Amino acid sequence: MANRPRIAHLAGPTATVQNSPPLVTSNKARQKYGLPVRKNRDGSDARFDALRAQRLAAPAKVYVECYSAHPLEADASELYGPPDGYLDAKGAFHRESTNPQDKAVFEIDILPEDGLYPLPYMARKSDGAAWEGECTEPGAEAAKARQSFYPDGSRSFEEIDRLGIGSEGVGNLISSFADVDFYRVLPPAGYTKGLPASRRTDVGEGDIPPETRSKDFFAYRPLSPRRGSAAPGAGAPD
């Protein structure tokens, strides 16, 4: 497209939009590993796990219940084509219905290359306990804290593209009309172990060497941001 815009996104120390909620271990993981489940603040059972955008490691096949995308899909069922098959009471898949109680389903192959999928967060701390926040314990020092900010804007843009839905019912809300270059100008998060050039998502050349908090990146927590020079290897916008 001749008129397709190109945007420069700058990740700086006041980039609050680049922050993300803490990755909290899901109740699905807590149940799997015999950990106490997380309750609501009033002590009642949590209705759902929070789903976090994650990447598949291998292809998987899933069966989705027909007419479950909207409360009134079934109300217009006569407008729909046939399902891919049916699940019986034991969960076995059949191309044709074998019982009036069978559940009509769509069969979907989900692939790593599809992009991010919302899934329960299964990770635990190194001692086997559940993650309850960004740090291994409340008020922990920086060495025992995970970073919640993104190192550049590419991940937040990817999540918008993959999970955001526009008024026309489709996604790709950013990449469908613009190209974006990501620059790390005093970024709010950094690669403390470095990053190979092949995995860079920002504009820049070469490997990113190990970065140091308050020198190469400027997180709000646990330290306050301060201004200085751009992160090593970061390009400058044209």
Side-chain angles (χ1 to χ4, degrees):
M1 294 177 59
N3 297 322
R4 184 177 175 85
R6 192 168 199 90
I7 300 171
H9 181 275
L10 311 181
T14 57
T16 304
V17 71
Q18 291 300 112
N19 199 9
S20 64
L23 292 165
V24 174
T25 302
S26 65
N27 277 343
K28 187 173 289 292
R30 294 168 196 250
Q31 292 166 347
K32 177 179 180 178
Y33 298 112
L35 300 172
V37 298
R38 190 179 179 95
K39 301 279 191 176
N40 293 325
R41 292 187 178 185
D42 63 1
S44 60
D45 292 335
R47 184 182 182 188
F48 299 120
D49 272 327
L51 301 181
R52 306 305 294 263
Q54 300 170 76
R55 304 189 193 282
L56 298 181
K61 189 182 296 292
V62 299
Y63 297 100
V64 175
E65 181 178 349
C66 291
Y67 313 130
S68 62
H70 188 284
L72 292 176
E73 273 198 295
D75 194 64
S77 59
E78 71 278 4
L79 304 179
Y80 284 70
D84 293 328
Y86 300 84
L87 294 184
D88 63 25
K90 295 182 178 180
F93 177 74
H94 306 275
R95 290 297 176 187
E96 302 295 335
S97 177
T98 60
N99 187 290
Q101 304 304 315
D102 288 351
K103 183 176 294 184
V105 296
F106 296 117
E107 184 181 47
I108 306 175
D109 291 314
I110 57 176
L111 309 171
E113 55 264 34
D114 291 341
L116 301 166
Y117 277 98
L119 295 165
Y121 186 67
M122 301 298 287
R124 296 169 292 156
K125 296 188 293 186
S126 59
D127 63 0
W131 283 105
E132 302 292 358
E134 295 164 344
C135 303
T136 56
E137 56 191 38
E141 59 185 342
K144 295 184 178 181
R146 300 179 294 172
Q147 297 186 64
S148 62
F149 284 87
Y150 296 140
D152 63 51
S154 61
R155 177 58 182 249
S156 56
F157 277 52
E158 181 182 8
E159 291 187 9
I160 292 170
D161 252 7
R162 176 66 169 138
L163 305 176
I165 303 173
S167 60
E168 297 178 349
V170 296
N172 302 303
L173 301 182
I174 299 172
S175 63
S176 62
F177 72 87
D179 297 312
V180 185
D181 294 323
F182 300 98
Y183 296 89
R184 301 183 68 225
V185 181
L186 304 177
Y191 302 99
T192 62
K193 296 179 174 64
L195 189 75
S198 61
R199 294 183 59 193
R200 290 186 71 154
T201 52
D202 67 317
V203 174
E205 297 181 356
D207 298 343
I208 296 179
E211 296 181 323
T212 303
R213 187 185 297 265
S214 295
K215 176 178 178 291
D216 303 308
F217 64 95
F218 306 89
Y220 286 178
R221 294 184 299 273
L223 302 177
S224 298
R226 64 183 178 84
R227 290 164 173 74
S229 60
D238 295 332

